[in-house]
Amino acid sequence: MPEIVNLAGPPAFDLAVPDRGYRWWYLDAVSDDGRHALVIIAFVGSVFSPYYYRARQTGPGVAEQHCAINVALYGPGSRWAMTERDSGAIQRSPDRFRVGPSQVHWDGTRLTYDLRERCTPWGQALRGQVIAHPRAACDLDVRLDAAGHHAWRPWSPLADVEVNLETPALRWRGTAYLDANAGSEPLEAAFSTWDWSRTVGRVPGQVLHYEVRYPDQSERLFCYRVAPDGAFEETEPAPAQSQSLTGWRVRRGVRSGHEISADRRLEDTPFYARSLFPGPSEVVHTVHETLDMNRFVAPWVRRLLPFRMPRRTS
């Protein structure tokens, strides 16, 4: 099995992706007033794609045949878009990644997303621009499995964001988090479930938790505190706080470091959940996700996904 190339940060969008593997570049943001949230993920080898899953079962599974830019807007004017496209509809260079009509570009100081998407389920337009301004680079590079086939790099956990959308008409500013993941094999080959979270607290910086569980039922918990200048250190993880099952009965394990009194469910699917947990003040919050790959590989789940993730060949 080929080894993955070390993740580079700031992003290098032309890094190789082996067959059956993946790379993604992730942004999530929360508006200063707490009313809005945003997630954008640019995929080469779309790990949650039912089409890519089928391609891996029937052939080599070429990652560049399964690319997408996923955009999720939460709050007033909410939208969700994720159209998968093949290699004929993408362009990759060190500083630019285009998928169909949308693209992301790194100019050395900021990350700009030019978005032209159609949303599910009703085909609404999503057009406009999102600009992320990293405050400092972070050199943290974590191998999530013992074999070293899966890597996570929070290359700028502290960033500022400007959202300037034409459709829906939204303009806001907030704080953001930027990371990248890469792997030389499918996620389901290495992981059973995981919980990931980032907590913005009263102390400057962020605390990152990544709790992975493997198919043999063993698990590992990574926890880091990242300072505003990008310096990081391992730190004692926050205690797990019991949370109810999601609407699809996905179990979450939340570590936040602050008391959770509310649960703003952003995404609730048969195998994935994303939540925003407000803290005791406006500046304290936790963004959390749970992924259940056992659910993802279930045939009934993959039959549902094309309704949310259409595929176009150009």
Side-chain angles (χ1 to χ4, degrees):
M1 181 175 295
E3 290 297 317
I4 61 174
V5 179
N6 284 343
L7 290 171
F13 295 116
D14 62 340
L15 290 174
V17 183
D19 291 351
R20 301 173 55 81
Y22 63 89
R23 285 191 182 275
W24 77 68
W25 294 268
Y26 170 94
L27 172 148
D28 83 60
V30 178
S31 64
D32 289 334
D33 63 8
R35 298 177 65 229
H36 302 272
L38 163 72
V39 171
I40 305 177
I41 313 174
F43 289 97
V44 178
S46 183
V47 291
F48 308 127
S49 162
Y51 318 104
Y52 192 27
Y53 182 90
R54 185 167 60 244
R56 296 195 300 267
Q57 309 309 306
T58 59
V62 179
E64 282 201 344
Q65 293 293 94
H66 305 274
C67 297
I69 294 181
N70 174 215
V71 185
L73 297 172
Y74 305 107
S78 61
R79 295 283 195 279
W80 203 94
M82 188 171 179
T83 300
E84 182 176 305
R85 300 179 190 272
D86 63 19
S87 60
I90 73 167
Q91 292 179 353
R92 294 208 292 151
S93 68
D95 58 7
R96 191 180 303 271
F97 181 24
R98 181 182 67 82
V99 182
S102 297
Q103 67 174 354
V104 54
H105 172 237
W106 171 252
D107 71 1
T109 62
R110 65 182 187 174
L111 203 59
T112 300
Y113 299 83
D114 293 305
L115 304 172
R116 298 288 185 272
E117 295 292 326
R118 286 286 174 180
C119 300
T120 57
W122 310 117
Q124 310 101 310
L126 193 158
R127 296 189 180 91
Q129 191 174 80
V130 174
I131 303 173
H133 302 267
R135 298 183 190 175
C138 178
D139 292 330
L140 179 59
D141 191 342
V142 179
R143 300 300 157 135
L144 295 171
D145 64 315
H149 296 313
H150 301 265
W152 162 57
R153 185 181 180 93
W155 66 273
S156 184
L158 296 161
D160 299 297
V161 70
E162 304 171 43
V163 176
N164 301 299
L165 298 182
E166 305 159 16
T167 310
L170 286 176
R171 290 182 179 272
W172 52 266
R173 293 175 180 265
T175 56
Y177 163 92
L178 299 162
D179 76 8
N181 281 58
S184 59
E185 64 180 10
L187 289 180
E188 63 268 20
F191 306 107
S192 174
T193 64
W194 77 40
D195 286 276
W196 169 89
S197 67
R198 66 177 187 92
T199 297
V200 179
R202 294 187 181 89
V203 177
Q206 290 199 66
V207 176
L208 309 177
H209 290 91
Y210 216 139
E211 193 163 5
V212 296
R213 300 167 193 87
Y214 306 108
D216 65 1
Q217 304 305 308
S218 64
E219 57 186 54
R220 188 171 179 187
L221 172 58
F222 305 90
C223 184
Y224 299 92
R225 181 180 298 278
V226 182
D229 64 358
F232 63 88
E233 62 178 357
E234 290 191 66
T235 188
E236 190 71 19
Q241 301 190 47
S242 177
Q243 290 295 312
S244 60
L245 299 176
T246 68
W248 285 97
R249 303 194 66 77
V250 174
R251 185 175 299 279
R252 297 172 298 166
V254 184
R255 296 178 185 270
S256 68
H258 63 79
E259 184 178 351
I260 291 175
S261 59
D263 178 352
R264 184 178 172 190
R265 199 75 49 82
L266 301 179
E267 205 71 59
D268 189 350
T269 80
F271 70 98
Y272 178 86
R274 180 183 295 136
S275 302
L276 174 63
F277 296 100
S281 71
E282 291 181 0
V283 298
V284 179
H285 61 262
T286 293
V287 177
H288 174 268
E289 71 172 23
T290 290
L291 174 66
D292 188 330
M293 293 307 297
N294 297 326
R295 281 280 192 90
F296 170 75
V297 300
W300 69 272
V301 172
R302 286 183 285 105
R303 282 194 290 268
L304 294 175
L305 292 178
F307 295 99
R308 204 88 193 274
M309 304 177 186
R311 176 173 168 83
R312 308 204 185 288
T313 56
S314 61

